[in-house]
Amino acid sequence: MVGSEEKEMKTSVIDKKALYAYLEEIKDPEIPVLSVVDMGIIRDIKLNDDELEVIITSTYTGCPAMDMIAANIRVELATLGFQKVKVTQSISPPWTTDWISEDGKRKLKEYGIAPPNPKQQVCNDKLFAADEAVQCPRCNSWHTHRISEFGSTACKALYQCNDCKEPFDYFKCH
Amino acid sequence: MSALIDYTLHLADNSLILGQRNGEWCGHGPILEQDIAITNISLDLIGQARSLYQYAAVLINDSELSVSSKASSPLERRFGGEVSEDSLAYLRTEREFKNCLLVEQSNGDWAQTILRQFLFSSYQYYLYQYLQTNTDTTIAAIAEKSLKEVSYHLRWSSEWVIRLGDGTGESHGRMLKAIDELWRYTGEFFIPADYEKELKIDGASLKYEWSKKIKTVFDEATLTVPPDIFMQEGGKQGRHTEQLGYILTELQYMQRAYPGCEW
Ligand SMILES: [Zn+2]
């Protein structure tokens, strides 16, 4: 009897889809509308014997939220009854803003943060002139300018809309 | 193995020390946005340092396990066998740090901080590009990951060099003074240390691209690239300017005064 219970436990453990749904509950501490799944930082979930391993990737190497996210994942899974949970950080291949889900990009915009532009526009070392066109998340105007390459967190730049005058964060391409 | 450990520590120390230096601007930047910018760059650099120290710790601990002759290196003896990213940052002495001399130089005024960042970021940009294809896959992965951040640092610092160099008489004069102060520390980038030679890391091959980049930005900033002068070196081997001691005093104070403390 114990054996069959154990077996049932294990099959449910490998149900990744359900696990991803639970992980949807864990939000990025700095952008509380986005879950770690929306952010695209959950690389894989594995079962090693009786230990559940969640492999995550950091957005920016110095992102101070990563330790907190890892701790929150352990807490969330512990409350679901997983006794042994290991959170491993993986750096290769590196995370890019392309990994943010479409749903995540929509949520970002609703929250007032301009979502990252499609990749091809960006990430070059050209000066001044190479300012990206970024759409204002409030009035949708493209008539905006960059105030600072670095915003409230390492992953964001600070922009201002020339039309509605509202300053806003832009989740910079990475 | 020991060359790889030394080289990983060299890369980590470059990032940690410059990150620590830039962090001194926190709350003192010339305007709020730039205060945030310079401290964000600190955060990126310290993040890189963490990845590299973590890797160095694994290498050191593994070589400890494999016993034999190498097991009694001073580092391993001092840490009683278990080395971590924290012990590498907080418990090594000045002579064990392998960062380039440039990154430990004082902040000076904003011009000096900007120039130091630009000279270093342009070097780090080409270095990480080069290391992306290194045979050591961890070093390659850290380089690839960090390169995106370094591109931002390079762009930001280049813009500031131009803004100050091609700005007012006052800002131009301060850039000239900064060049006078810092240029002598750039030669070291391209002089390989023994551990770089052993790993066949050809830093000298980056000099051409680096010089071209400096010239392009300096031209636009109406600044002149200095002629060949005597270059200081020694940082990669642990022979530092007096500046490093002060940085470590501040950086390591808590762990020295209260060993093992956490908060
Ligand atoms: Zn607007």
Side-chain angles (χ1 to χ4, degrees):
Chain A
M1 219 168 85
V2 175
S4 78
E5 245 180 47
E6 233 177 53
K7 205 172 164 190
E8 205 173 285
M9 180 70 185
K10 285 206 171 168
T11 30
S12 70
V13 159
I14 312 167
D15 187 352
K16 281 197 192 179
K17 227 174 156 178
L19 283 172
Y20 271 93
Y22 292 129
L23 293 178
E24 282 278 3
E25 295 304 312
I26 301 163
K27 306 298 179 193
D28 181 323
E30 279 165 350
I31 312 169
V33 289
L34 284 194
S35 76
V36 292
V37 178
D38 291 326
M39 287 288 288
I41 61 175
I42 307 289
R43 179 66 54 79
D44 200 4
I45 303 174
K46 282 187 203 162
L47 185 70
N48 314 318
D49 297 321
D50 59 342
E51 184 190 65
L52 194 62
E53 184 182 11
V54 181
I55 299 164
I56 62 174
T57 188
S58 66
T59 49
Y60 279 65
T61 46
C63 180
M66 292 312 291
D67 289 341
M68 195 169 166
I69 288 171
N72 290 346
I73 290 174
R74 276 191 292 269
V75 170
E76 175 72 18
L77 293 174
T79 59
L80 290 167
F82 295 98
Q83 306 275 319
K84 289 172 81 178
V85 178
K86 186 165 98 179
V87 181
T88 315
Q89 292 210 26
S90 144
I91 48 170
S92 180
W95 179 87
T96 84
T97 39
D98 290 350
W99 294 9
I100 300 178
S101 68
E102 286 310 310
D103 208 30
K105 286 179 185 162
R106 186 183 50 75
K107 289 182 199 166
L108 269 178
K109 191 174 177 217
E110 281 169 9
Y111 188 60
I113 298 174
N117 282 328
K119 205 178 179 180
Q120 55 271 26
Q121 290 213 29
V122 277
C123 283
N124 58 47
D125 58 350
K126 298 222 174 62
L127 308 181
F128 299 110
D131 261 18
E132 280 178 89
V134 173
Q135 193 180 21
C136 172
R138 293 170 207 278
C139 73
N140 295 323
S141 165
W142 286 94
H143 194 206
T144 64
H145 69 279
R146 196 182 70 206
I147 299 175
S148 170
E149 190 92 77
F150 301 88
S152 57
T153 64
C155 53
K156 289 178 245 143
L158 193 60
Y159 274 70
Q160 187 177 19
C161 176
N162 299 346
D163 289 332
C164 76
K165 303 292 182 207
E166 193 69 24
F168 63 89
D169 270 332
Y170 166 55
F171 204 112
K172 57 193 178 195
C173 139
H174 194 57
Chain B
M1 181 54 88
S2 128
L4 181 58
I5 292 169
D6 285 347
Y7 187 62
T8 307
L9 288 172
H10 157 68
L11 294 176
D13 293 343
N14 277 341
S15 294
L16 179 72
I17 299 301
L18 187 55
Q20 178 76 8
R21 268 295 187 223
N22 286 342
E24 291 171 20
W25 276 105
C26 187
H28 301 276
I31 51 170
L32 183 60
E33 284 77 15
Q34 301 312 326
D35 188 294
I36 294 170
I38 193 83
T39 44
N40 263 310
I41 292 174
S42 276
L43 200 61
D44 287 343
L45 288 168
I46 291 169
Q48 289 173 22
R50 283 193 64 184
S51 301
L52 290 159
Y53 284 135
Q54 284 165 7
Y55 182 46
V58 169
L59 294 173
I60 293 166
N61 292 330
D62 282 358
S63 70
E64 170 93 340
L65 287 177
S66 69
V67 198
S68 80
S69 56
K70 287 267 155 54
S72 58
S73 81
L75 261 184
E76 291 152 0
R77 269 204 310 275
R78 184 135 43 81
F79 298 134
E82 205 39 31
V83 176
S84 70
E85 54 173 315
D86 285 336
S87 60
L88 290 172
Y90 292 128
L91 299 178
R92 280 180 307 143
T93 60
E94 197 182 329
R95 286 299 298 263
E96 290 168 310
F97 274 76
K98 295 170 177 38
N99 57 277
C100 293
L101 299 173
L102 178 74
V103 298
E104 70 201 36
Q105 297 312 306
S106 65
N107 285 346
D109 56 12
W110 187 245
Q112 190 167 320
T113 294
I114 288 298
L115 184 72
R116 186 185 61 201
Q117 191 63 47
F118 170 63
L119 295 173
F120 185 73
S121 289
S122 46
Y123 165 65
Q124 211 182 26
Y125 180 77
Y126 294 111
L127 177 65
Y128 282 176
Q129 266 186 357
Y130 170 76
L131 290 177
Q132 278 186 106
T133 54
N134 196 266
T135 48
D136 185 282
T137 52
T138 307
I139 294 285
I142 294 171
E144 187 187 359
K145 173 95 188 144
S146 308
L147 189 58
K148 299 175 175 194
E149 294 151 16
V150 175
S151 308
Y152 274 106
H153 306 168
L154 177 56
R155 203 172 100 161
W156 175 84
S157 57
S158 302
E159 289 180 0
W160 268 101
V161 166
I162 294 166
R163 199 173 279 131
L164 295 175
D166 193 19
T168 63
E170 174 75 22
S171 69
H172 183 82
R174 287 184 185 227
M175 283 306 292
L176 292 179
K177 199 169 142 272
I179 294 171
D180 205 34
E181 183 65 34
L182 297 179
W183 189 256
R184 73 191 78 169
Y185 300 110
T186 57
E188 190 185 19
F189 296 157
F190 311 107
I191 304 168
D194 285 345
Y195 47 85
E196 287 172 293
K197 286 184 198 153
E198 198 178 322
L199 295 172
K200 303 207 168 24
I201 298 211
D202 184 11
S205 70
L206 309 173
K207 192 173 179 181
Y208 174 75
E209 286 293 334
W210 180 83
S211 305
K212 211 167 78 182
K213 179 78 188 172
I214 303 294
K215 172 122 181 36
T216 309
V217 173
F218 273 21
D219 278 352
E220 202 172 333
T222 70
L223 297 166
T224 312
V225 177
D228 282 343
I229 55 164
F230 174 76
M231 289 289 180
Q232 297 287 347
E233 56 175 309
K236 288 177 173 182
Q237 291 83 11
R239 295 190 308 275
H240 294 278
T241 60
E242 66 171 320
Q243 302 287 349
L244 185 66
Y246 295 111
I247 301 175
L248 294 184
T249 303
E250 193 171 325
L251 176 74
Q252 300 183 334
Y253 171 79
M254 286 296 280
Q255 287 302 323
R256 299 281 186 190
Y258 306 98
C261 85
E262 288 180 34
W263 69 88

